[in-house]
Amino acid sequence: MSDFKSWMQGVQARMEDTLSAVLPRADHLPARLHEAMRYAVLDGGKRVRPLLAFAAGELTAASPERLAYAGAAVELIHAYSLVHDDMPAMDNDVLRRGKPTVHVAFDEATALLAGDALQTAAFDVLSHHALADQPATQLKMVGILARASGSLGMCGGQGVDLYSVGQTLTLPELELMHILKTGALIRAAVLLGAHCGEPLSDEELARVDHFAKCMGLAFQVVDDILDEEADTATLGKTAGKDAANNKPTYVALLGLKGARDKAAELQLDARAALAPFGARAERLLDLADYIVARSH
């Protein structure tokens, strides 16, 4: 585990440098917008999605440089989604990653523009750098991130979430919402990382995608548990928000024990999917354990 911790810290440090490099300088016109973009992305966050990209890259012997750019593209999409989710028209939150949300630190109009600009910056990164041996593979990677980000992925899941406030969803309905809202971008991170290296067979890609699907759901189940159990200082965001807003969650549907059992079941399913890869999947398996055991 100490080896995993060192690996994780190394990837996180590399991602901080890469994200800082791909974002416009804070003094570049329009300075306030660029300052808000950097505020939203840098100096915070666990970088789970880039970590997943790097770990998946170990399955295909991908270069760290390619993985850093692929991870940056996914993280920029994630950051933009947080900026918009926190705004008054959405979740109306004032705290993110232990500091005021972007619309509080700047203003609503700047936050809206910062989110828009971070979204397009992700595709600039993904298309500007050579991330695959074949152009067709890189074009596929752009499509993977686009699909995962839009109405058939993350944005669609957020829409279902908004329209489900006050409703009681069945377990399949709740899972579908989170396959889109949280899971789509996590799956994209894993697939982008894998595509940065040597080609996998269709069967191998299906196994990798199944792992990512399971972990995307597990990540959300754990989020729901932490929203119920952890405090605001630990989370770095407002605790108890989902219950206060009467949102459907795994805890509300299954109870705390049921939610924990669900996370453990998904973790086992994810690990089983990667069994044929052997030692090449070590980092992905470490991340599966980290995601389920995390405290924030």
Side-chain angles (χ1 to χ4, degrees), residues 243-293:
N245 292 334
N246 200 21
K247 284 191 173 186
T249 67
Y250 286 96
V251 173
L253 184 63
L254 303 175
L256 275 170
K257 183 183 183 303
R260 290 194 189 96
D261 290 345
K262 182 66 175 176
E265 174 190 323
L266 289 164
Q267 182 183 12
L268 287 174
D269 194 2
R271 293 181 69 90
L274 297 185
F277 290 102
R280 293 156 61 198
E282 180 183 1
R283 291 301 179 213
L284 282 173
L285 297 176
D286 287 340
L287 278 170
D289 295 342
Y290 168 76
I291 285 170
V292 172

Side-chain angles (χ1 to χ4, degrees), residues 121-134:
F123 291 100
D124 184 39
V125 170
L126 200 57
S127 60
H128 184 72
H129 302 276
L131 303 185
D133 293 334
Q134 299 298 325

Side-chain angles (χ1 to χ4, degrees), residues 156-199:
Q158 180 68 9
V160 174
D161 192 19
L162 287 172
Y163 311 143
S164 300
V165 171
Q167 299 183 25
T168 300
L169 300 184
T170 65
L171 183 59
E173 289 171 335
L174 189 62
E175 288 186 337
L176 176 59
M177 178 175 81
H178 290 304
I179 283 171
L180 300 176
K181 181 184 175 184
T182 305
L185 205 57
I186 284 177
R187 290 168 79 179
V190 172
L191 290 174
L192 290 185
H195 280 306
C196 283
E198 298 168 0

Side-chain angles (χ1 to χ4, degrees), residues 34-289:
H34 292 147
E35 184 184 352
M37 291 168 66
R38 296 180 73 88
Y39 178 90
V41 174
L42 302 177
D43 302 319
K46 298 176 289 295
R47 311 300 186 204
V48 168
R49 290 150 192 84
L51 285 165
L52 285 165
F54 267 83
E58 294 204 0
L59 294 176
T60 60
S63 75
E65 183 178 10
R66 286 182 175 183
L67 294 168
Y69 287 124
V74 181
E75 189 69 6
L76 290 171
I77 293 288
H78 177 56
Y80 118 71
S81 75
L82 298 182
V83 173
H84 281 187
D85 285 357
D86 289 336
M87 292 183 67
M90 300 284 274
D91 288 349
N92 193 23
D93 214 332
V94 298
L95 191 66
R96 173 71 67 176
R97 293 174 171 173
K99 59 186 183 181
T101 48
V102 177
H103 71 274
V104 172
F106 293 84
D107 54 72
E108 287 185 37
T110 299
L112 183 63
L113 287 174
D116 290 343
L118 288 170
Q119 181 186 40
T120 55
F123 291 100
D124 184 39
V125 170
L126 200 57
S127 60
H128 184 72
H129 302 276
L131 303 185
D133 293 334
Q134 299 298 325
T137 302
Q138 187 149 346
L139 183 60
K140 183 178 181 179
M141 293 166 70
V142 173
I144 287 171
L145 187 58
R147 176 65 66 96
S149 304
S151 64
L152 300 178
M154 181 185 68
C155 284
Q158 180 68 9
V160 174
D161 192 19
L162 287 172
Y163 311 143
S164 300
V165 171
Q167 299 183 25
T168 300
L169 300 184
T170 65
L171 183 59
E173 289 171 335
L174 189 62
E175 288 186 337
L176 176 59
M177 178 175 81
H178 290 304
I179 283 171
L180 300 176
K181 181 184 175 184
T182 305
L185 205 57
I186 284 177
R187 290 168 79 179
V190 172
L191 290 174
L192 290 185
H195 280 306
C196 283
E198 298 168 0
L200 295 175
S201 69
D202 289 345
E203 180 186 350
E204 288 173 326
L205 274 174
R207 285 187 170 278
V208 171
D209 187 48
H210 186 73
F211 165 87
K213 179 180 177 181
C214 290
M215 292 320 301
L217 285 174
F219 188 95
Q220 185 60 52
V221 175
V222 174
D223 255 14
D224 287 355
I225 293 169
L226 293 175
D227 189 68
E228 181 78 15
E229 290 190 323
D231 56 34
T232 296
T234 302
L235 293 178
K237 59 183 180 181
T238 306
K241 182 176 60 176
D242 290 341
N245 292 334
N246 200 21
K247 284 191 173 186
T249 67
Y250 286 96
V251 173
L253 184 63
L254 303 175
L256 275 170
K257 183 183 183 303
R260 290 194 189 96
D261 290 345
K262 182 66 175 176
E265 174 190 323
L266 289 164
Q267 182 183 12
L268 287 174
D269 194 2
R271 293 181 69 90
L274 297 185
F277 290 102
R280 293 156 61 198
E282 180 183 1
R283 291 301 179 213
L284 282 173
L285 297 176
D286 287 340
L287 278 170
D289 295 342

